Amino acid sequence: MALLYPTHSTLHKAFSAQTPHTQSRKEPRSPRPTFNEAPVGRFTAWSAADDVKSKASALSNEAQKEIAKASSAAQAKTGQIELYSLKFYAACTFGGLIACGLTHTAVTPLDLVKCRRQVDSKLYKGNFEAWGKIGRAEGIRGVFTGWGPTAYGYSAQGAFKYGGYEFFKKFYSDLAGEENAYRYKTWLYLTASASAELIADVALCPFEAVKVRMQTTIPPFARSTFTGVSTITGKEGTAGLYKGLYPLWGRQIPYTMMKFASFETIVEEIYGYLPGKKQDYGRGAQTGVSFAGGYLAGILCAIVSHPADVMVSKLNAQRQPGEAFGAAMGRIYKDIGFGGLWNGLIIRIFMIGTLTSLQWGIYDSFKVFMGLPTTGGAAPPPKQEAHV
């Protein structure tokens, strides 16, 4: 029977070379590639994403270089701009013109629906329904009804608003003195912005009257800005262009006071929360802070000024020729009630928040482009002299 079974030595010789525990390896096994070392072609989606990122980064770097060249050329042409010089105020005025003119014109479709819903809350159920109806009836041009007076009016308003704010902030600061200007800086922001807006609205009012009438009459009473101006002055005289000035002040002055004072305060708080000082951050980071601060300030602006915004739309659309301002406001309020003063608030919060953030971003970007510091981040309090 022993011949029927292999011996122990026979089994060992037959299978020991195949046993992984006893098999000798002549060459070490190459290590498996890590995830980052894996062949590029194995993960095509990630490879494509990395390619897109690298191309986008290259384009961004190239764009930054071109912007830097253009900035250097502009600064070389204008020369060094000293703070609070005539060149400084001119640069701030032009920056405000660009910031307000471009942003308000871009959101004309939102403004169109807002104004029509303020006048007749039952006209549309929502924005998309409104744009669909307007687009089918009047085409894409109808969706942008009022863009002309918007561009003219808010460009002029932005120029006086931002340029005036910088002027009055310096003017009142000098009157108050350095120590008081810092101690009561919020009151300084409020007073400077109110003074600037008081003047800016005189430039805005005629175009606002044309815009509101174009947007709230179906079909629009005029096809162009200056046709609208001629139509109004022909029927009502020059006073017809300014009959909404008081409610416009009632809307815009609180709006602008909140816009500038809250922006300055929010930006100061952001830099106070971040490590280091404002000067430690690059221009891109400072502009990002301006954008964030502008959006938060815009939400507050929309809430504060919305009732007056509704009343402006109603007065421009429904005030009768020769009707007293107070009588017109009383009649309109009786019709719509307190709740009617808040029609369209949600869309206006979205619109004004976006507008304000973009305006501050554009304005401060232009200031940086011209070699000027961004807005906000209050100066440190004056040093107290030591008394022995």
Side-chain angles (χ1 to χ4, degrees), residues 111-123:
D111 192 39
L112 170 65
V113 177
K114 175 193 68 86
C115 287
R116 289 187 176 179
R117 294 185 73 182
Q118 285 175 345
V119 173
D120 184 0
S121 60
K122 299 179 181 179
L123 186 60

Side-chain angles (χ1 to χ4, degrees), residues 220-235:
F221 84 108
R223 302 300 296 177
S224 67
T225 303
F226 294 103
T227 301
V229 171
S230 299
T231 302
I232 293 174
T233 54
K235 293 180 179 180

Side-chain angles (χ1 to χ4, degrees), residues 117-180:
R117 294 185 73 182
Q118 285 175 345
V119 173
D120 184 0
S121 60
K122 299 179 181 179
L123 186 60
Y124 308 116
K125 294 181 180 179
N127 297 333
F128 292 102
E129 179 195 34
W131 291 325
K133 287 184 176 180
I134 296 169
R136 288 189 294 271
E138 306 172 46
I140 190 64
R141 181 176 179 178
V143 176
F144 281 87
T145 297
W147 76 269
T150 298
Y152 284 115
Y154 283 95
S155 294
Q157 186 224 31
F160 286 106
K161 177 189 292 187
Y162 282 88
Y165 175 71
E166 299 286 1
F167 172 80
F168 284 114
K169 186 166 69 169
K170 173 64 174 172
F171 178 74
Y172 293 137
S173 178
D174 290 343
L175 286 180
E178 187 177 9
E179 184 176 353
N180 287 330

Side-chain angles (χ1 to χ4, degrees), residues 1 12 26 29 65 87 259:
M1 294 292 295
H12 179 74
K26 297 180 180 180
R29 181 181 296 179
K65 290 179 182 178
K87 285 185 178 180
K259 174 180 180 177

Side-chain angles (χ1 to χ4, degrees), residues 12 15-25:
H12 179 74
F15 297 105
S16 62
Q18 305 297 328
T19 305
H21 300 290
T22 58
Q23 184 179 3
S24 61
R25 296 177 178 172

Side-chain angles (χ1 to χ4, degrees), residues 19 106-107 115 123 132 160 204 215 231 238 250 263 279 313:
T19 305
V107 297
C115 287
L123 186 60
F160 286 106
L204 169 64
Q215 292 180 334
T231 302
T238 305
F263 173 80
Q279 293 78 8
S313 298

